Amino acid sequence: VKQRMQMFNSPYKSVLACVRTVQKTEGFGAFYRSYTTQLTMNVPFQAIHFITYEFMQEHINPHREYNPRSHILSGAVAGAVAAAATTPLDVCKTLLNTQENMALSSVNISGHLSGMVNAFKTVYQLGGISGYFRGVQARVIYQMPSTAIAWSVYEFFKYFLTKHKLEKRTSL
């Protein structure tokens, strides 16, 4: 629903109108059309994200001290790498979610696109290899501050809670 509302010239005037129209014209299954793609995207995204964060911390903060700058930098890099690497899956998910008529009709697809394999084939037909990376810059720019903030907040609370526990133990 969110992605259909964000489409250029979206015909939907409200969330409720979009939900009603999709339900009526495409059925309940339309709301889950890209579910497997979403899961397939989130697993590698999180794996790449955590591995990259740990790799960065190992190099710029090897003693694993509380260091906000290193957490922010590592988090931003981790988000950027994970976002860039999983952009092809995000492009396919977006095509499945939006069922963008002009794109589908340009490759002679009538009806609705379903399944990740069909989405991958269609994206390739529409834009070749570079089609898989449409919007990569915007996705990276979106993820970098998000993951930088998330990691710095996580590390702050980890430090705060650990320090607080140590202070309690030493005062006993």
Side-chain angles (χ1 to χ4, degrees), residues 8-23:
F8 183 72
N9 287 332
S10 175
Y12 309 107
K13 301 299 178 211
S14 70
V15 170
L16 191 56
C18 182
V19 169
R20 284 181 180 153
T21 303
V22 170
Q23 170 65 34

